[in-house]
Structures are given as structure tokens and as C-alpha cells.
Amino acid sequence: MAESGDIAELLAVMARLRDPDGGCPWDLEQDFSTIAPYTIEEAYEVADAIDRDDLADLKDELGDLLLQVVFHAQMAQERGAFAFGDVVAAICGKMVRRHPHVFGDDTVDDTDAQTRNWEAIKRAEREAAGHRDGSALAGISRGLPEWQRAAKLQSRAARVGFDWPGPEPVIAKLHEEIEEVRAEFARGDIGGNHARLQDEIGDLLFVAANLARHAKVDAGAALRHANHKFERRFRAMETLAAAEDTSLSALSLERQEALWQQVKRQERMD
């Protein structure tokens, strides 16, 4: 099959993979629930390529993510529910509908005004669809990564005035939550106290997400960067240990900490 860059070609490839007569056994076994984790994974791969500013990899990862959309659409078409064209029509209609300042006669003064209009339109759409939840928190997906969902819950609450006025009280609350976690650990029975520890650590993470929101930092991206930094430094520690003809696991914690600090100093020098 020639490579044309036409979406019809990708649709044809997916239909062939799902063809009961000679298609791929693995693809034929899949359903929405089994493919959903791959869809989430591919979205994160896209974010990772963006973080690394690797546009060549981004092209490939966007293709992988597009394949996920096509896969879901093909399975829906097989059930007679909708096809890929319906997905395209739906998102085009939604974008036009939610941007009346672009495709209509409305005007907006700035990004904040656009965000308020967007949410108002979404709320009207939910009401028209028969959703009766009138809460300011209505419509926030439970399928979001929890860091992202925490930020959305906090942002929605802030729109009705339920928010700290700045980062300082959030930092104070963070210290308060840390002390509450410390108190739970001080009880000593971690196994028997698991539920309370989970609750307090959850509060701590929720406040940390709020601090990120006040800093206009995406908490998921910040944690992803922290993971990358830890991995980079840890691998460098392993390299230093190997240069001493030993393994990291053979070293004392004090020696491991010394290597960690050595790696950090080298990064600052570089």
C-alpha cells in the first residue's frame, strides 16, 4: 500500500486489521476497554516528545495517538454506533459552537473572558443534553489523571470565589498537611493506620496540586520533569559506582548520598 498521507489510507489500514477474514488476531481481540490504556499511554508519549522538544519523535507519537482515535472509531462503526467521519463532524461542530467570537458575531476581551464563555457554553450543552447537575464542579471527568482532575476541581471552585488569595496561605496549608502526615507516621502502626495515612497523604497531594495551580504550573508536567531529573541523576550515580568497580547496591547509604551530591554538583557546573 502506497504512503499518501491521506486519512482514508489509515482508515483502510485499520479496517483491514479488524477484518475477520485475514485480519490481525491481536487487533480483532481488542475492545474499547482494552484499547483505552494504550490511548492514555500514547497521549503521554506525545507530551514526553514535546517536553524533549523532539519534533521528529512528536510526528511519530502523534501518528500513534491518531491511530488510537481511528481504532476506537472502527470498533464503534462495527457496532453501528458511529464512524470516523462522525467523530470529525462532532469535533468540528463543537469547535465552531464554542468559538462564537471567531465563527460568529460575539466578542471577547481576553483569554479569561474566553474561558468563561467556553464554560458557559459547555454548561448550556450539558443542560440541553439532559444533565441536571447544577454544581460548579459538574462535567469534570473522572477519567482524568488525578493531578489534572485536582487542578480542574480547584479552578472551578475558584470561579465562584472559593480559593486562597495567593500562594502564601497555600504554602502554610502545605506545612499543616505535612505535620498531619508526620503525626500519622508517629502513631507507629503503619499497616493498621493505612487508611488514615492514605487520607492525609491525599490531602497533602491535593494541596500540592493547588500550589502548582497558583504558580500556573501543570502539576503533571512538573512531576514528569522531576521523574526525568531523578532518573538522570540516579543513572549517573550508577555510572560513578561502576567507575569504582562496584555497584550502587553495594555502597552504604552515606556513600550513595555522596554520589548523589556529586552528580548534582556536576550538573550545576555543566
Side-chain angles (χ1 to χ4, degrees), residues 173-205:
K173 183 64 175 177
L174 192 62
H175 284 290
E176 177 186 327
E177 296 296 347
I178 290 172
E179 289 306 314
E180 291 182 6
V181 171
R182 194 195 310 275
E184 293 302 327
F185 273 112
R187 293 174 182 267
D189 184 13
I190 294 178
N193 202 30
H194 181 266
R196 289 183 62 85
L197 273 169
Q198 178 175 272
D199 189 57
E200 295 298 347
I201 290 174
D203 290 345
L204 175 62
L205 295 174

Side-chain angles (χ1 to χ4, degrees), residues 5-262:
D6 189 334
I7 189 63
E9 180 182 352
L10 179 56
L11 295 173
V13 168
M14 191 70 252
R16 183 72 182 92
L17 291 171
R18 290 279 297 181
D19 188 346
D21 183 15
C24 173
W26 185 90
D27 289 273
L28 286 165
E29 287 180 359
Q30 306 312 306
D31 58 27
F32 294 115
S33 62
T34 62
I35 291 298
Y38 295 101
T39 308
I40 295 169
E41 180 181 342
E42 295 300 347
Y44 277 108
E45 294 290 346
V46 167
D48 178 62
I50 293 170
D51 280 346
R52 293 183 283 105
D53 194 26
D54 188 337
L55 296 185
D57 195 31
L58 178 59
K59 178 192 67 176
D60 290 340
E61 297 300 346
L62 286 172
D64 291 342
L65 184 58
L66 177 58
L67 177 65
Q68 298 300 306
V69 177
V70 169
F71 206 140
H72 285 288
Q74 173 65 31
M75 291 187 291
Q77 183 173 344
E78 292 165 4
R79 293 191 183 188
F82 57 83
F84 181 79
D86 300 309
V87 175
V88 174
I91 189 59
C92 287
K94 182 186 295 184
M95 289 300 98
V96 171
R97 190 169 62 248
R98 292 185 181 177
H99 292 84
H101 57 291
V102 176
F103 300 102
D105 298 327
D106 288 6
T107 59
V108 292
D109 295 329
D110 51 31
T111 301
D112 289 340
Q114 157 58 14
T115 300
R116 289 192 296 270
N117 284 358
W118 177 279
E119 291 299 334
I121 294 169
K122 285 179 63 177
R123 186 165 53 251
E125 290 174 353
R126 288 194 299 269
E127 292 172 356
H131 299 292
R132 302 305 178 200
D133 186 353
S135 171
L137 306 180
I140 298 177
S141 172
R142 293 184 178 275
L144 290 170
E146 296 304 334
W147 281 110
Q148 187 176 355
R149 189 162 191 271
K152 281 187 173 291
L153 289 168
Q154 294 158 2
S155 294
R156 289 283 191 87
R159 287 176 194 161
V160 298
F162 189 67
D163 193 14
W164 280 296
E168 287 304 322
V170 186
I171 292 172
K173 183 64 175 177
L174 192 62
H175 284 290
E176 177 186 327
E177 296 296 347
I178 290 172
E179 289 306 314
E180 291 182 6
V181 171
R182 194 195 310 275
E184 293 302 327
F185 273 112
R187 293 174 182 267
D189 184 13
I190 294 178
N193 202 30
H194 181 266
R196 289 183 62 85
L197 273 169
Q198 178 175 272
D199 189 57
E200 295 298 347
I201 290 174
D203 290 345
L204 175 62
L205 295 174
F206 190 81
V207 176
N210 212 335
L211 184 61
R213 181 179 64 87
H214 275 268
K216 300 188 185 304
V217 167
D218 179 86
L223 184 57
R224 187 162 59 249
H225 292 164
N227 287 340
H228 290 168
K229 180 167 60 179
F230 177 85
E231 181 178 8
R232 182 182 67 247
R233 290 176 176 176
F234 189 88
R235 288 179 180 274
M237 289 168 61
E238 291 177 317
T239 299
L240 290 174
E244 298 177 4
D245 294 324
T246 187
S247 66
L248 202 58
S249 60
L251 300 178
S252 67
L253 180 59
E254 290 76 15
R255 180 57 185 147
Q256 290 178 348
E257 176 62 23
L259 289 180
W260 177 267
Q261 295 301 327
Q262 181 179 341

